[in-house]
Amino acid sequence: MNMYVISIITQNTLNVLQRVAGMFSRYRINIEHINISRHTEELSYWNVVIYSEDDRIELLTKQLNKIIELVDIKIIDKVPMSGQFEGASA
């Protein structure tokens, strides 16, 4: 299990938060922390912190890229978690 910090840029449209969060839910990935800020009238910047396995993150990012309002997605940090922290937030 790893901790990921994901950077997402989306268009400011109705229900985009619901669609993006729904993808995390579909892959059973809990959002530990989320920060969304409006950059311009048209775009928002997201920083999302999650804990997951590499294969699930790969599937998630592929599906997120299919969302029309999504402009860009990048994994900006990946930190391996030691066994003592896994499942601590459950």
Coordinates of all heavy atoms in Angstrom, one line a residue:
M1 N 0.8 -1.2 0.0 CA 0.0 0.0 0.0 C 0.9 1.2 0.0 O 1.9 1.3 0.7 CB -0.9 0.0 1.2 CG -1.7 1.2 1.3 SD -3.4 1.2 1.9 CE -4.1 -0.3 1.3
N2 N 0.5 2.2 -0.8 CA 1.2 3.5 -0.9 C 0.3 4.7 -0.7 O -0.9 4.6 -0.9 CB 1.8 3.6 -2.3 CG 2.8 2.5 -2.6 OD1 3.7 2.3 -1.9 ND2 2.5 1.8 -3.7
M3 N 0.9 5.8 -0.3 CA 0.2 7.0 -0.2 C 0.5 7.8 -1.5 O 1.6 7.9 -1.9 CB 0.6 7.9 1.0 CG -0.2 9.2 1.1 SD 0.4 10.3 2.4 CE 1.9 10.9 1.6
Y4 N -0.6 8.3 -2.1 CA -0.4 9.0 -3.4 C -1.0 10.4 -3.2 O -2.0 10.6 -2.5 CB -1.2 8.4 -4.5 CG -0.7 7.0 -4.9 CD1 -1.1 5.9 -4.3 CD2 0.2 6.9 -6.0 CE1 -0.7 4.6 -4.7 CE2 0.7 5.7 -6.4 CZ 0.2 4.6 -5.7 OH 0.7 3.3 -6.1
V5 N -0.3 11.4 -3.8 CA -0.8 12.7 -3.9 C -1.1 12.9 -5.4 O -0.1 12.8 -6.2 CB 0.1 13.8 -3.4 CG1 -0.4 15.2 -3.5 CG2 0.5 13.5 -1.9
I6 N -2.3 13.2 -5.7 CA -2.7 13.3 -7.1 C -3.1 14.7 -7.4 O -3.9 15.3 -6.7 CB -3.8 12.3 -7.5 CG1 -3.4 10.9 -7.3 CG2 -4.3 12.5 -8.9 CD1 -4.5 9.9 -7.4
S7 N -2.6 15.3 -8.5 CA -3.0 16.6 -8.9 C -4.0 16.5 -10.1 O -3.7 15.8 -11.1 CB -1.8 17.4 -9.4 OG -2.1 18.6 -9.9
I8 N -5.1 17.2 -10.0 CA -6.1 17.1 -11.1 C -6.5 18.5 -11.5 O -6.7 19.4 -10.6 CB -7.4 16.3 -10.6 CG1 -7.0 14.9 -10.2 CG2 -8.4 16.3 -11.7 CD1 -8.1 14.2 -9.5
I9 N -6.7 18.8 -12.7 CA -7.2 20.0 -13.2 C -8.5 19.7 -14.0 O -8.5 18.9 -14.9 CB -6.2 20.8 -14.2 CG1 -4.9 21.1 -13.4 CG2 -6.9 22.1 -14.7 CD1 -3.8 21.6 -14.3
T10 N -9.6 20.4 -13.6 CA -10.9 20.2 -14.2 C -11.5 21.5 -14.7 O -11.1 22.5 -14.2 CB -11.9 19.5 -13.3 OG1 -12.1 20.3 -12.2 CG2 -11.4 18.1 -12.8
Q11 N -12.4 21.4 -15.6 CA -13.3 22.5 -15.9 C -14.3 22.7 -14.8 O -14.7 21.8 -14.1 CB -14.0 22.3 -17.2 CG -13.1 22.1 -18.4 CD -13.9 21.7 -19.7 OE1 -15.1 21.6 -19.7 NE2 -13.1 21.5 -20.7
N12 N -14.7 24.0 -14.6 CA -15.7 24.3 -13.6 C -17.1 24.0 -14.2 O -17.6 24.9 -14.9 CB -15.6 25.7 -13.1 CG -14.4 26.0 -12.2 OD1 -14.0 25.1 -11.5 ND2 -13.9 27.2 -12.3
T13 N -17.6 22.9 -14.0 CA -18.9 22.5 -14.5 C -19.8 21.9 -13.4 O -19.2 21.4 -12.4 CB -18.9 21.6 -15.7 OG1 -18.2 20.4 -15.4 CG2 -18.1 22.2 -16.9
L14 N -21.1 21.9 -13.6 CA -22.0 21.3 -12.7 C -21.7 19.8 -12.6 O -21.5 19.1 -13.6 CB -23.4 21.5 -13.2 CG -24.5 21.2 -12.2 CD1 -24.4 22.0 -10.9 CD2 -25.9 21.4 -12.9
N15 N -21.6 19.3 -11.4 CA -21.5 17.9 -11.0 C -20.1 17.3 -11.3 O -20.0 16.0 -11.2 CB -22.6 17.0 -11.7 CG -23.9 17.3 -11.2 OD1 -24.1 17.7 -10.0 ND2 -24.9 17.2 -12.1
V16 N -19.1 18.1 -11.6 CA -17.8 17.5 -11.9 C -17.2 16.8 -10.6 O -16.6 15.8 -10.7 CB -16.8 18.5 -12.5 CG1 -16.4 19.6 -11.5 CG2 -15.6 17.8 -13.1
L17 N -17.5 17.4 -9.5 CA -17.0 16.9 -8.2 C -17.7 15.5 -8.0 O -17.0 14.5 -7.6 CB -17.3 17.8 -7.0 CG -17.0 17.2 -5.6 CD1 -15.6 16.9 -5.4 CD2 -17.5 18.2 -4.6
Q18 N -18.9 15.4 -8.3 CA -19.7 14.1 -8.1 C -19.1 13.1 -9.0 O -18.9 11.9 -8.6 CB -21.2 14.4 -8.4 CG -22.0 13.1 -8.2 CD -23.4 13.4 -8.6 OE1 -23.8 14.5 -8.9 NE2 -24.3 12.4 -8.4
R19 N -18.8 13.4 -10.3 CA -18.3 12.4 -11.2 C -16.9 11.9 -10.8 O -16.6 10.8 -10.9 CB -18.3 13.0 -12.6 CG -19.7 13.0 -13.3 CD -19.6 13.2 -14.7 NE -19.3 14.6 -15.1 CZ -20.2 15.6 -15.0 NH1 -21.4 15.4 -14.6 NH2 -19.8 16.8 -15.4
V20 N -16.0 12.9 -10.4 CA -14.7 12.5 -10.0 C -14.7 11.6 -8.7 O -14.1 10.6 -8.6 CB -13.8 13.7 -9.8 CG1 -12.4 13.4 -9.2 CG2 -13.6 14.4 -11.2
A21 N -15.5 12.1 -7.7 CA -15.6 11.3 -6.5 C -16.2 10.0 -6.7 O -15.8 9.0 -6.0 CB -16.4 12.1 -5.4
G22 N -17.1 9.9 -7.6 CA -17.8 8.6 -8.0 C -16.8 7.6 -8.5 O -16.9 6.4 -8.3
M23 N -15.8 8.1 -9.2 CA -14.7 7.2 -9.7 C -13.9 6.6 -8.6 O -13.6 5.4 -8.6 CB -13.8 7.9 -10.7 CG -14.4 8.2 -12.0 SD -14.6 6.6 -13.0 CE -15.3 7.3 -14.4
F24 N -13.6 7.4 -7.6 CA -12.8 6.9 -6.4 C -13.7 5.9 -5.7 O -13.2 4.8 -5.3 CB -12.5 8.1 -5.5 CG -11.3 8.9 -6.0 CD1 -11.5 10.0 -6.8 CD2 -10.0 8.6 -5.6 CE1 -10.5 10.8 -7.2 CE2 -9.0 9.4 -6.0 CZ -9.2 10.5 -6.8
S25 N -15.0 6.2 -5.6 CA -15.9 5.2 -4.9 C -16.0 3.9 -5.7 O -16.0 2.8 -5.1 CB -17.3 5.9 -4.8 OG -18.2 5.0 -4.2
R26 N -16.1 4.0 -7.0 CA -16.2 2.8 -7.8 C -15.0 1.9 -7.6 O -15.2 0.6 -7.7 CB -16.3 3.2 -9.3 CG -16.5 2.0 -10.2 CD -16.7 2.5 -11.7 NE -17.9 3.2 -11.8 CZ -18.2 4.2 -12.7 NH1 -17.3 4.4 -13.6 NH2 -19.3 4.8 -12.7
Y27 N -13.8 2.4 -7.5 CA -12.6 1.6 -7.3 C -12.3 1.4 -5.8 O -11.3 0.9 -5.4 CB -11.4 2.2 -8.0 CG -11.6 2.0 -9.5 CD1 -12.1 3.0 -10.3 CD2 -11.3 0.8 -10.1 CE1 -12.3 2.8 -11.6 CE2 -11.4 0.6 -11.4 CZ -12.0 1.6 -12.2 OH -12.2 1.4 -13.5
R28 N -13.3 1.7 -4.9 CA -13.2 1.5 -3.5 C -11.9 2.1 -2.9 O -11.2 1.5 -2.1 CB -13.3 0.0 -3.1 CG -14.6 -0.5 -3.7 CD -14.9 -2.0 -3.3 NE -15.0 -2.2 -1.9 CZ -16.0 -2.0 -1.0 NH1 -17.1 -1.4 -1.5 NH2 -15.9 -2.3 0.2
I29 N -11.6 3.4 -3.3 CA -10.5 4.1 -2.8 C -11.0 5.3 -2.0 O -11.7 6.1 -2.6 CB -9.6 4.6 -4.0 CG1 -9.0 3.4 -4.8 CG2 -8.5 5.5 -3.5 CD1 -8.3 3.8 -6.0
N30 N -10.6 5.3 -0.8 CA -11.1 6.4 0.1 C -10.2 7.6 -0.1 O -9.0 7.6 -0.1 CB -11.0 5.9 1.6 CG -11.7 6.9 2.5 OD1 -12.8 7.4 2.3 ND2 -11.0 7.2 3.6
I31 N -10.9 8.8 -0.2 CA -10.2 10.1 -0.3 C -9.8 10.5 1.1 O -10.7 10.7 1.9 CB -11.0 11.1 -1.0 CG1 -11.3 10.7 -2.4 CG2 -10.3 12.5 -0.9 CD1 -12.3 11.6 -3.2
E32 N -8.5 10.5 1.5 CA -8.1 10.9 2.8 C -8.1 12.4 3.0 O -8.4 12.9 4.0 CB -6.7 10.4 3.1 CG -6.6 8.9 3.0 CD -7.3 8.2 4.2 OE1 -7.4 8.8 5.3 OE2 -7.8 7.1 4.0
H33 N -7.7 13.2 1.9 CA -7.7 14.6 2.0 C -7.9 15.1 0.6 O -7.4 14.6 -0.4 CB -6.3 15.1 2.5 CG -6.2 16.6 2.5 ND1 -6.7 17.4 3.5 CD2 -5.6 17.4 1.6 CE1 -6.4 18.6 3.2 NE2 -5.8 18.7 2.1
I34 N -8.7 16.2 0.5 CA -9.0 16.8 -0.8 C -9.0 18.3 -0.7 O -9.5 18.9 0.3 CB -10.3 16.3 -1.5 CG1 -10.4 16.8 -2.9 CG2 -11.5 16.7 -0.6 CD1 -11.6 16.1 -3.7
N35 N -8.3 19.0 -1.6 CA -8.3 20.5 -1.6 C -8.6 20.9 -3.0 O -7.9 20.5 -4.0 CB -6.9 21.0 -1.2 CG -6.8 22.5 -1.1 OD1 -7.8 23.1 -1.2 ND2 -5.6 23.0 -1.1
I36 N -9.6 21.7 -3.2 CA -10.0 22.2 -4.5 C -10.0 23.7 -4.5 O -10.6 24.3 -3.6 CB -11.4 21.6 -5.0 CG1 -11.4 20.1 -4.9 CG2 -11.8 22.1 -6.4 CD1 -12.8 19.5 -5.1
S37 N -9.3 24.3 -5.5 CA -9.3 25.7 -5.6 C -9.6 26.2 -7.0 O -9.1 25.5 -7.9 CB -8.0 26.3 -5.0 OG -6.9 25.8 -5.8
R38 N -10.4 27.2 -7.1 CA -10.7 27.7 -8.5 C -9.5 28.6 -8.9 O -9.0 29.5 -8.3 CB -11.9 28.6 -8.4 CG -12.4 29.0 -9.8 CD -13.8 29.5 -9.7 NE -13.6 31.0 -9.7 CZ -14.6 31.8 -9.6 NH1 -15.9 31.4 -9.5 NH2 -14.4 33.1 -9.6
H39 N -9.0 28.2 -10.1 CA -7.8 28.9 -10.7 C -8.3 30.1 -11.5 O -7.8 31.2 -11.4 CB -7.0 28.0 -11.5 CG -5.8 28.6 -12.1 ND1 -4.8 29.2 -11.4 CD2 -5.5 28.8 -13.4 CE1 -3.9 29.7 -12.3 NE2 -4.3 29.5 -13.5
T40 N -9.2 29.8 -12.4 CA -9.8 30.8 -13.3 C -11.3 30.6 -13.3 O -11.8 29.7 -12.6 CB -9.3 30.7 -14.7 OG1 -9.7 29.5 -15.3 CG2 -7.8 30.8 -14.8
E41 N -12.0 31.3 -14.0 CA -13.5 31.1 -14.1 C -13.8 29.8 -14.7 O -14.8 29.2 -14.4 CB -14.1 32.2 -15.0 CG -15.6 32.3 -15.0 CD -16.2 32.7 -13.7 OE1 -15.6 33.5 -13.0 OE2 -17.3 32.2 -13.4
E42 N -12.9 29.2 -15.6 CA -13.1 28.0 -16.3 C -12.5 26.8 -15.6 O -12.9 25.6 -15.9 CB -12.6 28.1 -17.7 CG -13.3 29.1 -18.6 CD -12.7 30.5 -18.4 OE1 -11.6 30.6 -18.1 OE2 -13.5 31.5 -18.7
L43 N -11.4 26.9 -14.8 CA -10.6 25.8 -14.3 C -10.5 25.7 -12.8 O -10.4 26.8 -12.1 CB -9.2 25.8 -14.9 CG -9.1 25.7 -16.4 CD1 -7.6 25.8 -16.8 CD2 -9.7 24.4 -16.9
S44 N -10.4 24.5 -12.3 CA -10.2 24.3 -10.8 C -9.0 23.4 -10.7 O -8.8 22.4 -11.5 CB -11.4 23.6 -10.2 OG -12.4 24.6 -10.1
Y45 N -8.2 23.6 -9.7 CA -7.1 22.7 -9.3 C -7.4 21.9 -8.1 O -8.0 22.4 -7.2 CB -5.8 23.5 -9.0 CG -5.1 24.2 -10.2 CD1 -4.3 25.3 -10.0 CD2 -5.3 23.8 -11.5 CE1 -3.6 25.9 -11.0 CE2 -4.7 24.4 -12.5 CZ -3.8 25.4 -12.3 OH -3.2 26.0 -13.4
W46 N -7.1 20.6 -8.2 CA -7.4 19.7 -7.1 C -6.1 19.0 -6.6 O -5.3 18.7 -7.5 CB -8.3 18.5 -7.6 CG -9.6 18.8 -8.3 CD1 -9.9 19.8 -9.2 CD2 -10.8 18.1 -8.1 NE1 -11.2 19.7 -9.6 CE2 -11.7 18.7 -8.9 CE3 -11.1 17.0 -7.4 CZ2 -13.0 18.2 -9.0 CZ3 -12.4 16.5 -7.5 CH2 -13.4 17.1 -8.3
N47 N -6.0 18.8 -5.4 CA -5.0 18.0 -4.8 C -5.7 17.0 -3.9 O -6.5 17.3 -3.0 CB -4.0 18.8 -3.9 CG -3.0 19.6 -4.8 OD1 -2.5 19.1 -5.7 ND2 -2.8 20.8 -4.4
V48 N -5.4 15.7 -4.2 CA -6.1 14.6 -3.6 C -5.1 13.7 -2.9 O -4.1 13.3 -3.6 CB -7.0 13.8 -4.6 CG1 -7.8 12.7 -3.9 CG2 -7.9 14.7 -5.3
V49 N -5.3 13.3 -1.7 CA -4.4 12.3 -1.0 C -5.2 11.1 -0.8 O -6.3 11.1 -0.2 CB -3.9 12.9 0.4 CG1 -3.0 11.8 1.1 CG2 -3.1 14.2 0.1
I50 N -4.6 9.9 -1.2 CA -5.3 8.6 -1.1 C -4.3 7.6 -0.7 O -3.0 7.8 -0.9 CB -6.0 8.2 -2.4 CG1 -5.0 8.2 -3.5 CG2 -7.2 9.1 -2.7 CD1 -5.6 7.6 -4.8
Y51 N -4.7 6.5 -0.2 CA -3.9 5.3 0.1 C -4.5 4.1 -0.8 O -5.7 3.9 -0.7 CB -4.0 4.9 1.6 CG -3.4 5.9 2.5 CD1 -4.2 6.9 3.1 CD2 -2.0 5.9 2.7 CE1 -3.7 7.8 3.9 CE2 -1.5 6.9 3.6 CZ -2.3 7.8 4.2 OH -1.8 8.8 5.0
S52 N -3.6 3.5 -1.5 CA -4.1 2.4 -2.4 C -2.9 1.6 -3.0 O -1.7 2.0 -2.7 CB -4.9 3.0 -3.5 OG -5.5 1.9 -4.2
E53 N -3.2 0.6 -3.7 CA -2.2 -0.2 -4.4 C -2.0 0.3 -5.8 O -2.9 1.0 -6.4 CB -2.8 -1.7 -4.5 CG -3.1 -2.3 -3.2 CD -1.9 -2.5 -2.3 OE1 -0.7 -2.7 -2.9 OE2 -2.0 -2.6 -1.1
D54 N -0.8 0.0 -6.4 CA -0.4 0.6 -7.7 C -1.4 0.2 -8.8 O -1.8 1.0 -9.6 CB 1.0 0.0 -8.1 CG 2.1 0.6 -7.2 OD1 1.8 1.6 -6.6 OD2 3.2 0.0 -7.2
D55 N -1.9 -1.1 -8.8 CA -2.8 -1.5 -9.9 C -4.1 -0.8 -9.9 O -4.7 -0.4 -10.9 CB -3.0 -3.0 -9.9 CG -3.5 -3.5 -8.5 OD1 -3.4 -2.8 -7.5 OD2 -4.1 -4.6 -8.6
R56 N -4.6 -0.5 -8.7 CA -5.9 0.2 -8.6 C -5.8 1.7 -9.0 O -6.7 2.3 -9.6 CB -6.4 0.1 -7.1 CG -6.9 -1.3 -6.8 CD -7.2 -1.5 -5.4 NE -8.6 -1.2 -5.2 CZ -9.2 -1.1 -4.0 NH1 -8.5 -1.3 -2.9 NH2 -10.5 -0.8 -3.9
I57 N -4.6 2.3 -8.7 CA -4.4 3.7 -9.1 C -4.3 3.8 -10.6 O -4.8 4.7 -11.2 CB -3.1 4.2 -8.4 CG1 -3.2 4.3 -6.9 CG2 -2.7 5.6 -9.0 CD1 -4.4 5.1 -6.4
E58 N -3.6 2.8 -11.2 CA -3.5 2.8 -12.7 C -4.9 2.7 -13.3 O -5.2 3.5 -14.2 CB -2.7 1.6 -13.1 CG -2.4 1.6 -14.6 CD -1.5 0.4 -15.0 OE1 -0.7 0.0 -14.2 OE2 -1.7 0.0 -16.2
L59 N -5.8 1.8 -12.8 CA -7.1 1.7 -13.3 C -7.9 3.0 -13.1 O -8.6 3.5 -14.0 CB -7.9 0.6 -12.7 CG -7.4 -0.8 -13.1 CD1 -8.1 -1.9 -12.2 CD2 -7.6 -1.1 -14.5
L60 N -7.8 3.6 -11.9 CA -8.5 4.8 -11.6 C -8.1 6.0 -12.5 O -8.9 6.7 -13.0 CB -8.2 5.2 -10.1 CG -8.7 6.6 -9.7 CD1 -10.3 6.5 -9.6 CD2 -8.1 7.0 -8.3
T61 N -6.8 6.2 -12.7 CA -6.4 7.3 -13.5 C -6.8 7.1 -15.0 O -7.2 8.1 -15.6 CB -4.8 7.5 -13.5 OG1 -4.2 6.3 -13.8 CG2 -4.4 7.9 -12.1
K62 N -6.8 5.9 -15.5 CA -7.3 5.6 -16.8 C -8.8 6.0 -17.0 O -9.2 6.6 -18.0 CB -7.1 4.2 -17.2 CG -5.7 3.8 -17.6 CD -5.6 2.4 -18.0 CE -4.2 2.0 -18.2 NZ -4.0 0.6 -18.6
Q63 N -9.6 5.7 -16.0 CA -11.0 6.0 -16.0 C -11.2 7.5 -15.8 O -12.1 8.1 -16.4 CB -11.8 5.2 -14.9 CG -11.9 3.7 -15.3 CD -12.6 3.5 -16.6 OE1 -13.6 4.0 -16.9 NE2 -12.0 2.6 -17.4
L64 N -10.5 8.1 -14.9 CA -10.6 9.6 -14.7 C -10.3 10.3 -16.0 O -11.0 11.3 -16.2 CB -9.7 10.0 -13.6 CG -10.2 9.7 -12.1 CD1 -9.1 10.0 -11.2 CD2 -11.4 10.4 -11.8
N65 N -9.4 9.9 -16.8 CA -9.0 10.5 -18.0 C -10.2 10.5 -19.0 O -10.2 11.3 -20.0 CB -7.8 9.9 -18.7 CG -6.5 10.5 -18.1 OD1 -6.4 11.7 -18.0 ND2 -5.6 9.6 -17.7
K66 N -11.2 9.7 -18.8 CA -12.3 9.6 -19.7 C -13.4 10.6 -19.4 O -14.3 10.9 -20.2 CB -13.0 8.2 -19.7 CG -12.0 7.1 -20.2 CD -12.7 5.8 -20.2 CE -11.8 4.7 -20.7 NZ -12.4 3.4 -20.6
I67 N -13.3 11.3 -18.2 CA -14.2 12.3 -17.8 C -14.0 13.6 -18.7 O -12.8 14.1 -18.7 CB -14.1 12.7 -16.3 CG1 -14.5 11.5 -15.5 CG2 -15.0 13.9 -16.0 CD1 -14.3 11.7 -14.0
I68 N -15.0 14.0 -19.4 CA -14.8 15.1 -20.4 C -14.3 16.4 -19.7 O -13.4 17.0 -20.3 CB -16.2 15.4 -21.1 CG1 -16.6 14.2 -21.9 CG2 -16.1 16.6 -21.9 CD1 -18.0 14.2 -22.5
E69 N -14.7 16.7 -18.6 CA -14.3 17.9 -17.9 C -12.9 17.9 -17.3 O -12.3 18.9 -16.9 CB -15.2 18.3 -16.7 CG -16.6 18.6 -17.2 CD -17.5 17.4 -17.2 OE1 -17.0 16.2 -17.0 OE2 -18.7 17.5 -17.5
L70 N -12.3 16.7 -17.3 CA -10.9 16.6 -16.8 C -9.9 17.1 -17.8 O -9.9 16.6 -18.9 CB -10.6 15.1 -16.4 CG -9.4 15.0 -15.5 CD1 -9.7 14.3 -14.2 CD2 -8.3 14.2 -16.3
V71 N -9.1 18.0 -17.4 CA -8.1 18.6 -18.3 C -6.7 17.9 -18.1 O -6.1 17.6 -19.1 CB -7.9 20.1 -18.0 CG1 -6.8 20.7 -18.8 CG2 -9.3 20.9 -18.2
D72 N -6.3 17.6 -16.9 CA -5.1 17.0 -16.6 C -5.1 16.2 -15.3 O -5.8 16.6 -14.4 CB -4.0 18.0 -16.6 CG -2.6 17.4 -16.6 OD1 -2.4 16.3 -17.2 OD2 -1.6 18.1 -16.1
I73 N -4.3 15.1 -15.2 CA -4.2 14.4 -14.0 C -2.7 13.9 -13.9 O -2.2 13.4 -14.9 CB -5.2 13.2 -13.9 CG1 -5.0 12.5 -12.5 CG2 -5.0 12.3 -15.0 CD1 -6.1 11.5 -12.2
K74 N -2.1 14.1 -12.7 CA -0.7 13.7 -12.5 C -0.6 13.1 -11.1 O -1.2 13.7 -10.2 CB 0.2 14.8 -12.7 CG 0.3 15.3 -14.1 CD 1.3 16.5 -14.1 CE 1.3 17.1 -15.5 NZ 2.0 18.3 -15.6
I75 N 0.2 12.1 -11.0 CA 0.6 11.6 -9.7 C 1.8 12.4 -9.3 O 2.9 12.2 -9.9 CB 0.8 10.1 -9.7 CG1 -0.5 9.3 -10.0 CG2 1.4 9.6 -8.3 CD1 -0.3 7.9 -10.2
I76 N 1.7 13.3 -8.3 CA 2.8 14.1 -8.0 C 3.7 13.6 -6.9 O 4.8 14.1 -6.7 CB 2.4 15.6 -7.7 CG1 1.4 15.7 -6.6 CG2 1.9 16.2 -9.0 CD1 1.0 17.1 -6.2
D77 N 3.2 12.6 -6.1 CA 4.0 12.0 -5.1 C 3.5 10.6 -4.8 O 2.2 10.3 -4.8 CB 3.9 12.8 -3.8 CG 5.1 12.6 -2.8 OD1 6.0 11.8 -3.2 OD2 5.1 13.1 -1.7
K78 N 4.4 9.7 -4.5 CA 4.0 8.3 -4.1 C 5.0 8.0 -2.9 O 6.2 8.0 -3.1 CB 4.2 7.4 -5.3 CG 4.0 5.9 -4.9 CD 4.3 5.1 -6.1 CE 4.4 3.6 -5.7 NZ 4.7 2.8 -6.9
V79 N 4.4 7.6 -1.8 CA 5.2 7.3 -0.6 C 4.8 5.9 -0.1 O 3.6 5.6 0.2 CB 4.9 8.3 0.5 CG1 5.7 7.9 1.8 CG2 5.2 9.7 0.1
P80 N 5.7 4.9 -0.2 CA 5.4 3.6 0.3 C 5.1 3.6 1.8 O 5.8 4.4 2.6 CB 6.7 2.8 0.1 CG 7.5 3.6 -0.9 CD 7.1 5.0 -0.7
M81 N 4.1 2.9 2.3 CA 3.7 2.9 3.7 C 4.2 1.7 4.3 O 4.1 0.6 3.8 CB 2.2 3.0 3.8 CG 1.6 4.3 3.2 SD 2.3 5.8 3.8 CE 1.7 5.8 5.4
S82 N 4.8 1.8 5.5 CA 5.2 0.6 6.2 C 4.0 -0.1 6.8 O 2.9 0.5 7.0 CB 6.2 1.0 7.3 OG 5.5 1.8 8.3
G83 N 4.2 -1.4 7.2 CA 3.1 -2.2 7.7 C 2.4 -1.6 8.9 O 1.2 -1.8 9.1
Q84 N 3.0 -0.8 9.7 CA 2.4 -0.3 11.0 C 1.3 0.7 10.7 O 0.5 0.9 11.5 CB 3.5 0.3 11.9 CG 4.2 1.5 11.3 CD 5.3 2.0 12.2 OE1 5.7 1.3 13.1 NE2 5.7 3.2 12.0
F85 N 1.4 1.4 9.5 CA 0.4 2.4 9.2 C -0.8 1.9 8.4 O -1.8 2.5 8.3 CB 1.0 3.6 8.5 CG 2.0 4.3 9.4 CD1 3.3 4.3 9.2 CD2 1.5 5.1 10.5 CE1 4.2 5.0 10.0 CE2 2.4 5.7 11.3 CZ 3.8 5.7 11.0
E86 N -0.6 0.8 7.7 CA -1.7 0.3 6.9 C -2.9 -0.1 7.7 O -2.9 -0.7 8.7 CB -1.2 -1.0 6.1 CG -0.2 -0.7 5.1 CD 0.3 -1.9 4.3 OE1 -0.5 -2.9 4.3 OE2 1.4 -1.9 3.7
G87 N -4.0 0.5 7.2 CA -5.3 0.2 7.9 C -5.5 1.0 9.1 O -6.5 0.8 9.8
A88 N -4.6 1.9 9.5 CA -4.7 2.7 10.7 C -5.9 3.6 10.7 O -6.4 3.9 11.7 CB -3.4 3.5 11.0
S89 N -6.3 4.1 9.5 CA -7.4 5.0 9.4 C -8.8 4.4 9.4 O -9.8 5.0 9.4 CB -7.2 5.9 8.2 OG -7.3 5.2 7.0
A90 N -8.8 3.0 9.4 CA -10.1 2.3 9.3 C -10.9 2.3 10.5 O -10.5 2.5 11.6 CB -9.8 0.9 8.8

